[in-house]
Amino acid sequence: MNESNNNFEELKRLLKLKQHEVPSPGYFNRFSGEVIARVRAGEAGDAQGLIDELRQSSWLAGLLRVFQAKPGVIGGVATSLCLMLLIGVVLADRPDSVPRDLFASSTPAPESASPLVAAVPMVNTSGIAVSTNPVVSLQPVATLFGQQQNPLFQSASFAAPGQ
Amino acid sequence: MIMSEPATIPDANAPAGMLEGDLVRRARRGELQAYDELVKRYQERIYATIYHMTSNHEDANDLAQESFIKAYSALKSFKGGSSFYTWLYRIAVNKTINFLKQRKNKYHISLNDLDFNAEHDPDLVALISDKTPQRDAGLSELQKKLNEALLKLSEPHRMVVVLHDVQGVSHEEIAEIVGCNIGTVRSRLFYARQQLQGYLAEYIKS
């Protein structure tokens, strides 16, 4: 044990050589200045750096960097994506959600058939009501042979071909 | 008429005359002048620890600077449970260990020169004259062999030897810096010394 300790003492003396290894003269005079300069540069570049990175790199890489820098953004984006997906599923399941005017829009209805136009009478400043809609009476009209006929409906007769 | 310069009176409000706690408080508020003083106080010890671990000046320079920058950015998380010095050491040690793990065995030695005092150190003079089989071995060769031997140790063992035998840090402080108990520090130190003894046998024969 004693011999071992003596050897360690020799080793410790040898290790003293490490204490004499020093960097070039003046190194430590510059060191703190370089550290402070890098701290200042880091502070100034923190805000601008993120924007620059997003501009310089592709949008996907930029997005990933933003996610790395601010993990909270991931939660927000994921939540909004889930909401959008949910809304999409709900709308897809509703049959009445299909817009009816898809085909109607290609063949515009005649102006007279529009109920909106018919319901709103055109107002003339002269006090005379003007309407282009025909006046239709829904009352049955007596015919020459005593039959009652609704002018809105006409009976149709079909003859089979060959008869 | 010759104007003599006024005698410099130590200013308690100047960063150089402040206590560590005051400097840390000011640095936390963003006063870079205070942090500059903290860097100046500990730069040599932090650099030396990293240098002795890496045996490479450029790596030590980069890691030491990064350690101080990391410490500044993390100052707000410093609770004061330990001294700033121990906390700073822990950052530097972790950074160095991570760096060495990435570097694996790709060692590139870039040693600093020995200072003038090395040639006059009686212990070292004795080592390269009387007790060394290779009597013509110079200090530079001894320095190279010593660094090569240190690099053969695992990082935890090398760290303990560097901190205790080279830098004179106590077992208790090492335990706090490295994050283990004192018994582990002692056992690592004993094992590391045994290993080094074997690697450097030709230089330390009695």
Side-chain angles (χ1 to χ4, degrees):
Chain A
M1 184 69 183
N2 193 23
E3 189 183 352
S4 173
N5 280 338
N6 284 337
N7 283 342
F8 284 160
E9 287 303 316
E10 287 287 312
L11 180 67
K12 285 180 190 174
R13 285 168 64 188
L14 182 55
L15 283 168
K16 276 181 73 179
L17 184 64
K18 292 289 290 172
Q19 295 169 358
H20 294 287
E21 292 180 17
V22 289
S24 57
Y27 170 76
F28 288 117
N29 295 337
R30 299 184 300 269
F31 185 86
S32 69
E34 288 173 11
V35 169
I36 297 300
R38 285 181 67 179
V39 167
R40 280 207 176 99
E43 283 181 339
D46 270 354
Q48 190 60 35
L50 196 62
I51 299 166
D52 289 344
E53 278 182 22
L54 282 170
R55 281 180 185 164
Q56 286 170 5
S57 58
S58 68
W59 69 272
L60 185 61
L63 197 65
L64 289 173
R65 285 198 186 93
V66 170
F67 284 169
Q68 282 177 344
K70 296 181 177 178
V73 177
I74 299 172
V77 171
T79 307
S80 55
L81 282 175
C82 285
L83 277 173
M84 285 169 66
L85 186 68
L86 195 67
I87 290 167
V89 168
V90 168
L91 287 178
D93 285 342
R94 289 178 60 184
D96 58 343
S97 65
V98 180
R100 290 179 176 181
D101 292 336
L102 276 178
F103 299 103
S105 60
S106 59
T107 54
E111 206 173 87
S112 61
S114 172
L116 192 63
V117 175
V120 180
M122 294 184 74
V123 178
N124 196 336
T125 51
S126 61
I128 301 166
V130 178
S131 173
T132 55
N133 290 334
V135 177
V136 179
S137 174
L138 296 177
Q139 295 297 320
V141 180
T143 59
L144 186 63
F145 303 103
Q147 296 169 326
Q148 288 189 346
Q149 191 178 355
N150 192 330
L152 286 176
F153 303 103
Q154 287 183 347
S155 58
S157 61
F158 296 94
Q163 280 186 348
Chain B
M1 185 177 169
I2 300 170
M3 295 288 288
S4 59
E5 288 185 9
T8 52
I9 301 165
D11 184 3
N13 291 323
M18 283 186 187
L19 296 172
E20 184 186 278
D22 294 332
L23 287 171
V24 171
R25 269 190 292 280
R26 288 192 172 208
R28 284 178 74 165
R29 290 201 296 262
E31 289 183 31
L32 283 175
Q33 204 181 354
Y35 193 66
D36 183 57
E37 177 58 28
L38 284 170
V39 174
K40 281 176 183 161
R41 284 190 189 183
Y42 300 118
Q43 59 186 6
E44 290 184 35
R45 277 180 275 184
I46 294 294
Y47 168 84
T49 302
I50 300 171
Y51 168 76
H52 295 316
M53 284 296 292
T54 58
S55 295
N56 186 297
H57 166 72
E58 288 77 22
D59 292 341
N61 178 49
D62 291 344
L63 288 166
Q65 285 197 13
E66 286 168 17
S67 298
F68 279 107
I69 292 166
K70 171 84 185 294
Y72 181 76
S73 63
L75 257 182
K76 285 178 182 170
S77 68
F78 175 60
K79 306 291 182 194
S82 61
S83 69
F84 173 76
Y85 164 67
T86 308
W87 180 74
L88 178 64
Y89 241 122
R90 205 178 299 143
I91 290 173
V93 163
N94 287 336
K95 219 166 211 345
T96 307
I97 296 283
N98 287 338
F99 170 79
L100 291 171
K101 277 179 185 169
Q102 287 174 354
R103 195 175 74 169
K104 292 286 179 186
N105 295 318
K106 297 170 191 168
Y107 293 120
H108 174 65
I109 291 179
S110 167
L111 299 176
N112 288 327
D113 292 333
L114 294 168
D115 64 14
F116 178 76
N117 295 329
E119 293 176 13
H120 302 284
D121 190 313
D123 289 336
L124 296 175
V125 170
L127 275 170
I128 61 167
S129 57
D130 298 333
K131 296 188 176 180
T132 306
Q134 301 171 336
R135 287 172 182 259
D136 57 345
L139 279 177
S140 295
E141 188 185 334
L142 196 59
Q143 178 194 11
K144 193 180 169 208
K145 294 280 182 190
L146 181 55
N147 278 283
E148 284 172 351
L150 278 167
L151 287 175
K152 288 179 186 172
L153 297 176
S154 71
E155 284 91 15
H157 290 97
R158 198 187 318 153
M159 184 62 77
V160 173
V161 168
V162 164
L163 287 173
H164 188 270
D165 287 347
V166 180
Q167 299 212 265
V169 181
S170 68
H171 292 128
E172 291 77 10
E173 278 182 309
I174 294 172
E176 202 175 346
I177 291 165
V178 178
C180 62
N181 58 45
I182 295 174
T184 307
V185 172
R186 289 183 196 278
S187 66
R188 279 182 188 172
L189 189 59
F190 183 79
Y191 180 80
R193 283 171 175 171
Q194 273 193 326
Q195 293 288 107
L196 281 176
Q197 197 179 31
Y199 298 144
L200 298 164
E202 59 182 320
Y203 292 98
I204 53 177
K205 278 178 185 170
S206 56

mmCIF file of all heavy atoms in Angstrom, chain A residues 15-53:
data_model
loop_
_atom_site.group_PDB
_atom_site.id
_atom_site.type_symbol
_atom_site.label_atom_id
_atom_site.label_comp_id
_atom_site.label_asym_id
_atom_site.label_seq_id
_atom_site.Cartn_x
_atom_site.Cartn_y
_atom_site.Cartn_z
ATOM 1 N N LEU A 15 2.070 14.747 -13.090
ATOM 2 C CA LEU A 15 0.874 15.479 -13.533
ATOM 3 C C LEU A 15 1.011 16.996 -13.353
ATOM 4 O O LEU A 15 0.259 17.764 -13.947
ATOM 5 C CB LEU A 15 -0.357 14.975 -12.766
ATOM 6 C CG LEU A 15 -0.919 13.630 -13.243
ATOM 7 C CD1 LEU A 15 -1.930 13.075 -12.245
ATOM 8 C CD2 LEU A 15 -1.575 13.758 -14.613
ATOM 9 N N LYS A 16 1.983 17.397 -12.528
ATOM 10 C CA LYS A 16 2.214 18.842 -12.365
ATOM 11 C C LYS A 16 2.601 19.496 -13.688
ATOM 12 O O LYS A 16 2.420 20.693 -13.871
ATOM 13 C CB LYS A 16 3.327 19.087 -11.336
ATOM 14 C CG LYS A 16 2.841 19.077 -9.912
ATOM 15 C CD LYS A 16 3.961 19.350 -8.947
ATOM 16 C CE LYS A 16 4.360 20.835 -8.999
ATOM 17 N NZ LYS A 16 5.456 21.098 -8.020
ATOM 18 N N LEU A 17 3.129 18.670 -14.578
ATOM 19 C CA LEU A 17 3.528 19.195 -15.895
ATOM 20 C C LEU A 17 2.338 19.815 -16.623
ATOM 21 O O LEU A 17 2.498 20.792 -17.362
ATOM 22 C CB LEU A 17 4.123 18.051 -16.731
ATOM 23 C CG LEU A 17 4.682 18.420 -18.093
ATOM 24 C CD1 LEU A 17 5.864 19.366 -17.963
ATOM 25 C CD2 LEU A 17 5.110 17.169 -18.851
ATOM 26 N N LYS A 18 1.150 19.239 -16.378
ATOM 27 C CA LYS A 18 -0.052 19.756 -17.049
ATOM 28 C C LYS A 18 -0.342 21.208 -16.672
ATOM 29 O O LYS A 18 -0.911 21.960 -17.457
ATOM 30 C CB LYS A 18 -1.270 18.892 -16.690
ATOM 31 C CG LYS A 18 -1.246 17.485 -17.239
ATOM 32 C CD LYS A 18 -1.448 17.443 -18.733
ATOM 33 C CE LYS A 18 -2.857 17.806 -19.133
ATOM 34 N NZ LYS A 18 -2.989 17.936 -20.608
ATOM 35 N N GLN A 19 0.049 21.547 -15.445
ATOM 36 C CA GLN A 19 -0.224 22.924 -14.992
ATOM 37 C C GLN A 19 0.616 23.954 -15.745
ATOM 38 O O GLN A 19 0.324 25.146 -15.694
ATOM 39 C CB GLN A 19 0.038 23.037 -13.485
ATOM 40 C CG GLN A 19 -0.915 22.203 -12.655
ATOM 41 C CD GLN A 19 -0.501 22.105 -11.197
ATOM 42 O OE1 GLN A 19 0.530 22.629 -10.786
ATOM 43 N NE2 GLN A 19 -1.301 21.407 -10.415
ATOM 44 N N HIS A 20 1.660 23.486 -16.388
ATOM 45 C CA HIS A 20 2.541 24.416 -17.120
ATOM 46 C C HIS A 20 2.130 24.568 -18.582
ATOM 47 O O HIS A 20 2.776 25.313 -19.313
ATOM 48 C CB HIS A 20 3.996 23.930 -17.037
ATOM 49 C CG HIS A 20 4.550 23.986 -15.646
ATOM 50 N ND1 HIS A 20 4.879 25.169 -15.025
ATOM 51 C CD2 HIS A 20 4.818 23.010 -14.742
ATOM 52 C CE1 HIS A 20 5.338 24.922 -13.806
ATOM 53 N NE2 HIS A 20 5.303 23.611 -13.617
ATOM 54 N N GLU A 21 1.101 23.826 -18.988
ATOM 55 C CA GLU A 21 0.615 23.980 -20.364
ATOM 56 C C GLU A 21 -0.311 25.191 -20.412
ATOM 57 O O GLU A 21 -1.389 25.184 -19.815
ATOM 58 C CB GLU A 21 -0.145 22.720 -20.803
ATOM 59 C CG GLU A 21 0.748 21.500 -20.956
ATOM 60 C CD GLU A 21 -0.050 20.276 -21.398
ATOM 61 O OE1 GLU A 21 -1.183 20.425 -21.879
ATOM 62 O OE2 GLU A 21 0.475 19.160 -21.237
ATOM 63 N N VAL A 22 0.118 26.208 -21.098
ATOM 64 C CA VAL A 22 -0.685 27.445 -21.138
ATOM 65 C C VAL A 22 -0.859 27.901 -22.587
ATOM 66 O O VAL A 22 0.030 27.671 -23.421
ATOM 67 C CB VAL A 22 -0.020 28.576 -20.320
ATOM 68 C CG1 VAL A 22 -0.108 28.292 -18.840
ATOM 69 C CG2 VAL A 22 1.416 28.786 -20.747
ATOM 70 N N PRO A 23 -1.988 28.542 -22.872
ATOM 71 C CA PRO A 23 -2.169 29.064 -24.237
ATOM 72 C C PRO A 23 -1.234 30.236 -24.523
ATOM 73 O O PRO A 23 -0.537 30.706 -23.611
ATOM 74 C CB PRO A 23 -3.644 29.507 -24.242
ATOM 75 C CG PRO A 23 -3.991 29.741 -22.824
ATOM 76 C CD PRO A 23 -3.149 28.817 -22.011
ATOM 77 N N SER A 24 -1.246 30.680 -25.733
ATOM 78 C CA SER A 24 -0.328 31.748 -26.150
ATOM 79 C C SER A 24 -0.540 33.014 -25.326
ATOM 80 O O SER A 24 -1.660 33.273 -24.853
ATOM 81 C CB SER A 24 -0.535 32.057 -27.631
ATOM 82 O OG SER A 24 -1.884 32.403 -27.853
ATOM 83 N N PRO A 25 0.524 33.811 -25.143
ATOM 84 C CA PRO A 25 0.389 35.035 -24.331
ATOM 85 C C PRO A 25 -0.697 35.954 -24.891
ATOM 86 O O PRO A 25 -0.805 36.134 -26.097
ATOM 87 C CB PRO A 25 1.771 35.693 -24.446
ATOM 88 C CG PRO A 25 2.693 34.596 -24.828
ATOM 89 C CD PRO A 25 1.899 33.619 -25.635
ATOM 90 N N GLY A 26 -1.480 36.529 -23.988
ATOM 91 C CA GLY A 26 -2.536 37.456 -24.399
ATOM 92 C C GLY A 26 -3.853 36.780 -24.702
ATOM 93 O O GLY A 26 -4.861 37.453 -24.948
ATOM 94 N N TYR A 27 -3.848 35.439 -24.665
ATOM 95 C CA TYR A 27 -5.082 34.705 -25.000
ATOM 96 C C TYR A 27 -6.228 35.092 -24.062
ATOM 97 O O TYR A 27 -7.346 35.374 -24.508
ATOM 98 C CB TYR A 27 -4.814 33.199 -24.956
ATOM 99 C CG TYR A 27 -6.062 32.355 -25.050
ATOM 100 C CD1 TYR A 27 -6.713 32.182 -26.263
ATOM 101 C CD2 TYR A 27 -6.604 31.744 -23.917
ATOM 102 C CE1 TYR A 27 -7.876 31.428 -26.362
ATOM 103 C CE2 TYR A 27 -7.756 30.982 -24.001
ATOM 104 C CZ TYR A 27 -8.387 30.823 -25.217
ATOM 105 O OH TYR A 27 -9.526 30.082 -25.296
ATOM 106 N N PHE A 28 -5.940 35.114 -22.768
ATOM 107 C CA PHE A 28 -7.003 35.404 -21.809
ATOM 108 C C PHE A 28 -7.380 36.890 -21.773
ATOM 109 O O PHE A 28 -8.419 37.243 -21.222
ATOM 110 C CB PHE A 28 -6.609 34.914 -20.406
ATOM 111 C CG PHE A 28 -6.638 33.416 -20.295
ATOM 112 C CD1 PHE A 28 -5.478 32.690 -20.024
ATOM 113 C CD2 PHE A 28 -7.813 32.706 -20.481
ATOM 114 C CE1 PHE A 28 -5.501 31.316 -19.935
ATOM 115 C CE2 PHE A 28 -7.843 31.322 -20.397
ATOM 116 C CZ PHE A 28 -6.681 30.622 -20.131
ATOM 117 N N ASN A 29 -6.528 37.736 -22.336
ATOM 118 C CA ASN A 29 -6.922 39.152 -22.428
ATOM 119 C C ASN A 29 -8.037 39.341 -23.445
ATOM 120 O O ASN A 29 -8.856 40.249 -23.332
ATOM 121 C CB ASN A 29 -5.711 40.012 -22.836
ATOM 122 C CG ASN A 29 -4.622 39.999 -21.779
ATOM 123 O OD1 ASN A 29 -4.895 39.724 -20.611
ATOM 124 N ND2 ASN A 29 -3.394 40.277 -22.180
ATOM 125 N N ARG A 30 -8.031 38.468 -24.448
ATOM 126 C CA ARG A 30 -9.046 38.582 -25.505
ATOM 127 C C ARG A 30 -10.301 37.762 -25.196
ATOM 128 O O ARG A 30 -11.367 38.027 -25.725
ATOM 129 C CB ARG A 30 -8.470 38.091 -26.846
ATOM 130 C CG ARG A 30 -7.275 38.863 -27.348
ATOM 131 C CD ARG A 30 -6.857 38.361 -28.724
ATOM 132 N NE ARG A 30 -6.494 36.954 -28.734
ATOM 133 C CZ ARG A 30 -5.261 36.486 -28.538
ATOM 134 N NH1 ARG A 30 -4.264 37.318 -28.328
ATOM 135 N NH2 ARG A 30 -5.013 35.188 -28.566
ATOM 136 N N PHE A 31 -10.113 36.747 -24.367
ATOM 137 C CA PHE A 31 -11.173 35.735 -24.203
ATOM 138 C C PHE A 31 -12.519 36.327 -23.771
ATOM 139 O O PHE A 31 -13.548 36.107 -24.415
ATOM 140 C CB PHE A 31 -10.715 34.671 -23.196
ATOM 141 C CG PHE A 31 -11.673 33.529 -23.054
ATOM 142 C CD1 PHE A 31 -11.610 32.440 -23.908
ATOM 143 C CD2 PHE A 31 -12.669 33.533 -22.073
ATOM 144 C CE1 PHE A 31 -12.506 31.382 -23.788
ATOM 145 C CE2 PHE A 31 -13.556 32.491 -21.951
ATOM 146 C CZ PHE A 31 -13.471 31.418 -22.811
ATOM 147 N N SER A 32 -12.514 37.084 -22.693
ATOM 148 C CA SER A 32 -13.805 37.592 -22.181
ATOM 149 C C SER A 32 -14.470 38.523 -23.192
ATOM 150 O O SER A 32 -15.699 38.533 -23.318
ATOM 151 C CB SER A 32 -13.601 38.306 -20.842
ATOM 152 O OG SER A 32 -12.893 39.511 -21.028
ATOM 153 N N GLY A 33 -13.645 39.291 -23.905
ATOM 154 C CA GLY A 33 -14.197 40.183 -24.931
ATOM 155 C C GLY A 33 -14.908 39.407 -26.028
ATOM 156 O O GLY A 33 -15.981 39.814 -26.493
ATOM 157 N N GLU A 34 -14.310 38.278 -26.410
ATOM 158 C CA GLU A 34 -14.940 37.454 -27.453
ATOM 159 C C GLU A 34 -16.255 36.840 -26.955
ATOM 160 O O GLU A 34 -17.237 36.757 -27.699
ATOM 161 C CB GLU A 34 -13.972 36.354 -27.901
ATOM 162 C CG GLU A 34 -12.809 36.892 -28.721
ATOM 163 C CD GLU A 34 -11.759 35.832 -29.030
ATOM 164 O OE1 GLU A 34 -12.008 34.640 -28.790
ATOM 165 O OE2 GLU A 34 -10.675 36.219 -29.507
ATOM 166 N N VAL A 35 -16.253 36.420 -25.701
ATOM 167 C CA VAL A 35 -17.485 35.834 -25.135
ATOM 168 C C VAL A 35 -18.596 36.876 -25.101
ATOM 169 O O VAL A 35 -19.730 36.615 -25.540
ATOM 170 C CB VAL A 35 -17.218 35.286 -23.705
ATOM 171 C CG1 VAL A 35 -18.528 34.921 -23.011
ATOM 172 C CG2 VAL A 35 -16.306 34.077 -23.757
ATOM 173 N N ILE A 36 -18.266 38.081 -24.614
ATOM 174 C CA ILE A 36 -19.286 39.129 -24.510
ATOM 175 C C ILE A 36 -19.789 39.527 -25.903
ATOM 176 O O ILE A 36 -20.988 39.773 -26.099
ATOM 177 C CB ILE A 36 -18.724 40.356 -23.751
ATOM 178 C CG1 ILE A 36 -18.355 39.961 -22.318
ATOM 179 C CG2 ILE A 36 -19.729 41.504 -23.750
ATOM 180 C CD1 ILE A 36 -19.489 39.439 -21.465
ATOM 181 N N ALA A 37 -18.874 39.565 -26.869
ATOM 182 C CA ALA A 37 -19.290 39.904 -28.242
ATOM 183 C C ALA A 37 -20.260 38.859 -28.776
ATOM 184 O O ALA A 37 -21.256 39.196 -29.435
ATOM 185 C CB ALA A 37 -18.059 40.001 -29.137
ATOM 186 N N ARG A 38 -19.993 37.603 -28.487
ATOM 187 C CA ARG A 38 -20.892 36.539 -28.954
ATOM 188 C C ARG A 38 -22.234 36.586 -28.230
ATOM 189 O O ARG A 38 -23.275 36.303 -28.809
ATOM 190 C CB ARG A 38 -20.234 35.167 -28.765
ATOM 191 C CG ARG A 38 -19.150 34.887 -29.807
ATOM 192 C CD ARG A 38 -18.530 33.514 -29.630
ATOM 193 N NE ARG A 38 -19.465 32.427 -29.909
ATOM 194 C CZ ARG A 38 -19.151 31.145 -29.832
ATOM 195 N NH1 ARG A 38 -17.924 30.784 -29.504
ATOM 196 N NH2 ARG A 38 -20.044 30.223 -30.095
ATOM 197 N N VAL A 39 -22.197 36.954 -26.949
ATOM 198 C CA VAL A 39 -23.463 37.098 -26.199
ATOM 199 C C VAL A 39 -24.294 38.217 -26.812
ATOM 200 O O VAL A 39 -25.496 38.066 -27.042
ATOM 201 C CB VAL A 39 -23.177 37.384 -24.707
ATOM 202 C CG1 VAL A 39 -24.452 37.840 -23.997
ATOM 203 C CG2 VAL A 39 -22.616 36.155 -24.017
ATOM 204 N N ARG A 40 -23.628 39.360 -27.103
ATOM 205 C CA ARG A 40 -24.342 40.507 -27.707
ATOM 206 C C ARG A 40 -24.909 40.116 -29.074
ATOM 207 O O ARG A 40 -26.057 40.438 -29.394
ATOM 208 C CB ARG A 40 -23.378 41.681 -27.890
ATOM 209 C CG ARG A 40 -23.149 42.466 -26.618
ATOM 210 C CD ARG A 40 -22.782 43.925 -26.921
ATOM 211 N NE ARG A 40 -22.647 44.682 -25.690
ATOM 212 C CZ ARG A 40 -21.481 44.957 -25.104
ATOM 213 N NH1 ARG A 40 -20.354 44.559 -25.664
ATOM 214 N NH2 ARG A 40 -21.439 45.641 -23.976
ATOM 215 N N ALA A 41 -24.079 39.437 -29.859
ATOM 216 C CA ALA A 41 -24.532 39.029 -31.194
ATOM 217 C C ALA A 41 -25.717 38.076 -31.090
ATOM 218 O O ALA A 41 -26.657 38.143 -31.885
ATOM 219 C CB ALA A 41 -23.386 38.371 -31.953
ATOM 220 N N GLY A 42 -25.662 37.204 -30.095
ATOM 221 C CA GLY A 42 -26.762 36.251 -29.899
ATOM 222 C C GLY A 42 -28.046 36.951 -29.514
ATOM 223 O O GLY A 42 -29.122 36.609 -30.003
ATOM 224 N N GLU A 43 -27.936 37.944 -28.634
ATOM 225 C CA GLU A 43 -29.132 38.686 -28.208
ATOM 226 C C GLU A 43 -29.760 39.437 -29.374
ATOM 227 O O GLU A 43 -30.968 39.472 -29.533
ATOM 228 C CB GLU A 43 -28.771 39.676 -27.099
ATOM 229 C CG GLU A 43 -28.595 39.029 -25.745
ATOM 230 C CD GLU A 43 -28.270 40.031 -24.654
ATOM 231 O OE1 GLU A 43 -27.800 41.128 -24.990
ATOM 232 O OE2 GLU A 43 -28.472 39.702 -23.484
ATOM 233 N N ALA A 44 -28.887 40.064 -30.183
ATOM 234 C CA ALA A 44 -29.402 40.843 -31.312
ATOM 235 C C ALA A 44 -29.978 39.941 -32.394
ATOM 236 O O ALA A 44 -30.939 40.290 -33.072
ATOM 237 C CB ALA A 44 -28.285 41.703 -31.893
ATOM 238 N N GLY A 45 -29.349 38.793 -32.527
ATOM 239 C CA GLY A 45 -29.750 37.919 -33.622
ATOM 240 C C GLY A 45 -30.891 36.981 -33.301
ATOM 241 O O GLY A 45 -31.423 36.321 -34.190
ATOM 242 N N ASP A 46 -31.294 36.929 -32.031
ATOM 243 C CA ASP A 46 -32.359 35.997 -31.639
ATOM 244 C C ASP A 46 -33.661 36.262 -32.398
ATOM 245 O O ASP A 46 -34.261 35.354 -32.962
ATOM 246 C CB ASP A 46 -32.614 36.096 -30.129
ATOM 247 C CG ASP A 46 -31.746 35.125 -29.366
ATOM 248 O OD1 ASP A 46 -31.061 34.324 -30.038
ATOM 249 O OD2 ASP A 46 -31.723 35.165 -28.135
ATOM 250 N N ALA A 47 -34.067 37.519 -32.395
ATOM 251 C CA ALA A 47 -35.349 37.858 -33.023
ATOM 252 C C ALA A 47 -35.251 37.799 -34.545
ATOM 253 O O ALA A 47 -36.114 37.233 -35.218
ATOM 254 C CB ALA A 47 -35.766 39.250 -32.584
ATOM 255 N N GLN A 48 -34.172 38.382 -35.050
ATOM 256 C CA GLN A 48 -34.038 38.458 -36.505
ATOM 257 C C GLN A 48 -33.702 37.093 -37.096
ATOM 258 O O GLN A 48 -34.091 36.776 -38.224
ATOM 259 C CB GLN A 48 -32.945 39.471 -36.860
ATOM 260 C CG GLN A 48 -32.844 39.831 -38.335
ATOM 261 C CD GLN A 48 -34.121 40.445 -38.877
ATOM 262 O OE1 GLN A 48 -34.819 41.175 -38.180
ATOM 263 N NE2 GLN A 48 -34.454 40.121 -40.109
ATOM 264 N N GLY A 49 -32.988 36.281 -36.309
ATOM 265 C CA GLY A 49 -32.513 34.998 -36.832
ATOM 266 C C GLY A 49 -33.629 34.078 -37.265
ATOM 267 O O GLY A 49 -33.540 33.421 -38.304
ATOM 268 N N LEU A 50 -34.691 34.061 -36.482
ATOM 269 C CA LEU A 50 -35.800 33.166 -36.786
ATOM 270 C C LEU A 50 -36.463 33.567 -38.109
ATOM 271 O O LEU A 50 -36.774 32.714 -38.946
ATOM 272 C CB LEU A 50 -36.827 33.228 -35.656
ATOM 273 C CG LEU A 50 -37.845 32.096 -35.607
ATOM 274 C CD1 LEU A 50 -37.160 30.773 -35.402
ATOM 275 C CD2 LEU A 50 -38.848 32.342 -34.500
ATOM 276 N N ILE A 51 -36.617 34.859 -38.299
ATOM 277 C CA ILE A 51 -37.246 35.345 -39.529
ATOM 278 C C ILE A 51 -36.337 35.053 -40.726
ATOM 279 O O ILE A 51 -36.796 34.579 -41.771
ATOM 280 C CB ILE A 51 -37.509 36.864 -39.423
ATOM 281 C CG1 ILE A 51 -38.459 37.124 -38.254
ATOM 282 C CG2 ILE A 51 -38.087 37.408 -40.713
ATOM 283 C CD1 ILE A 51 -38.546 38.570 -37.832
ATOM 284 N N ASP A 52 -35.049 35.315 -40.537
ATOM 285 C CA ASP A 52 -34.107 35.079 -41.634
ATOM 286 C C ASP A 52 -34.056 33.612 -42.038
ATOM 287 O O ASP A 52 -34.008 33.271 -43.213
ATOM 288 C CB ASP A 52 -32.706 35.547 -41.237
ATOM 289 C CG ASP A 52 -32.618 37.069 -41.174
ATOM 290 O OD1 ASP A 52 -33.524 37.723 -41.728
ATOM 291 O OD2 ASP A 52 -31.678 37.583 -40.570
ATOM 292 N N GLU A 53 -34.074 32.778 -41.024
ATOM 293 C CA GLU A 53 -34.029 31.346 -41.320
ATOM 294 C C GLU A 53 -35.238 30.920 -42.136
ATOM 295 O O GLU A 53 -35.132 30.134 -43.080
ATOM 296 C CB GLU A 53 -33.974 30.548 -40.019
ATOM 297 C CG GLU A 53 -32.573 30.448 -39.448
ATOM 298 C CD GLU A 53 -32.533 29.620 -38.187
ATOM 299 O OE1 GLU A 53 -33.440 28.810 -37.983
ATOM 300 O OE2 GLU A 53 -31.581 29.785 -37.409
#
